[in-house]
Amino acid sequence: LAKTTQPISMDSYEGQEVNITCSHNNIATNDYITWYQQFPSQGPRFIIQGYKTKVTNEVASLFIPADRKSSTLSLPRVSLSDTAVYYCLVVSSGSARQLTFGSGTQLTVLP
Amino acid sequence: ETGVTQSPTHLIKTRGQQVTLRCSSQSGHNTVSWYQQALGQGPQFIFQYYREEENGRGNFPPRFSGLQFPNYSSELNVNALELDDSALYLCASSGGLFNNSPLHFGNGTRLTVT
């Protein structure tokens, strides 16, 4: 299972774009990258997933360079309600759908 | 579409007791996994069930056991509770082993062992 490294915490202001970068140097060929968001006393919530290049959905974008050793979650125009812990995970497409969570990044959005 | 539901939401037990936590998977999902999340840490994988069989296990002792039922709901049983078992226990479901659909988590059961 590929280990991920991401900043422990980040602060931002409302309306700004936030980029959280995650490194995963030993990602395997068939692995894909997934980001989850977690609020206190709630389960993690899926944000976005990708394999390479760029993926965009209604809440975020995910940028993955060609070597796939890192990825960047981009949150456009954050609001106070985006304050949460964000987890970057590398997931195998194999049968054991075990997710390995690190400590995540605590994002605090300030007014 | 009904999401993942867990019961109870909170539970207090005494060291040495046994506990059973329950999870109803999202409609159409046949795979359930369980995670333990200690305060301030990321969730840690306990085990996964697919079609009523255990399919993958994390670094947890045998006193952590589980079941999956024909309707794909699941139970997590913990015997001989220890103080360190105090945590948020999360259940997640997905539509199968080999698809890349994301896991859908419930909001967990907060277990306190005194």
Side-chain angles (χ1 to χ4, degrees), chain A residues 3-80:
Chain A
K3 181 181 176 181
T4 60
T5 302
Q6 53 184 121
I8 294 173
S9 64
M10 294 180 69
D11 290 344
S12 182
Y13 291 96
E14 278 191 295
Q16 290 188 331
E17 177 184 76
V18 170
N19 295 309
I20 306 175
T21 296
C22 176
S23 66
H24 27 78
N25 291 321
N26 59 340
I27 189 170
T29 302
N30 294 325
D31 291 345
Y32 53 96
I33 298 145
T34 305
W35 286 79
Y36 283 80
Q37 174 194 56
Q38 188 177 26
F39 299 109
S41 298
Q42 293 187 22
R45 182 177 73 95
F46 171 79
I47 302 173
I48 197 166
Q49 174 177 288
Y51 183 78
K52 61 180 179 180
T53 64
K54 177 183 174 181
V55 179
T56 298
N57 62 21
E58 62 275 9
V59 298
S61 295
L62 179 59
F63 299 92
I64 305 169
D67 66 7
R68 305 200 327 122
K69 293 184 183 299
S70 67
S71 59
T72 299
L73 173 72
S74 181
L75 304 172
R77 297 181 300 281
V78 293
S79 64
L80 296 177

Side-chain angles (χ1 to χ4, degrees), chain B residues 36-76:
Chain B
Q36 180 196 66
Q37 185 172 26
L39 205 58
Q41 297 182 21
Q44 301 298 307
F45 175 73
I46 303 175
F47 44 56
Q48 173 180 270
Y49 278 82
Y50 172 67
R51 294 187 174 178
E52 303 178 57
E53 296 287 332
E54 185 179 294
N55 177 273
R57 187 178 183 93
N59 189 27
F60 280 81
R63 59 189 185 85
F64 285 78
S65 63
L67 284 172
Q68 187 180 31
F69 300 99
N71 66 355
Y72 303 130
S73 65
S74 178
E75 286 182 356
L76 165 65

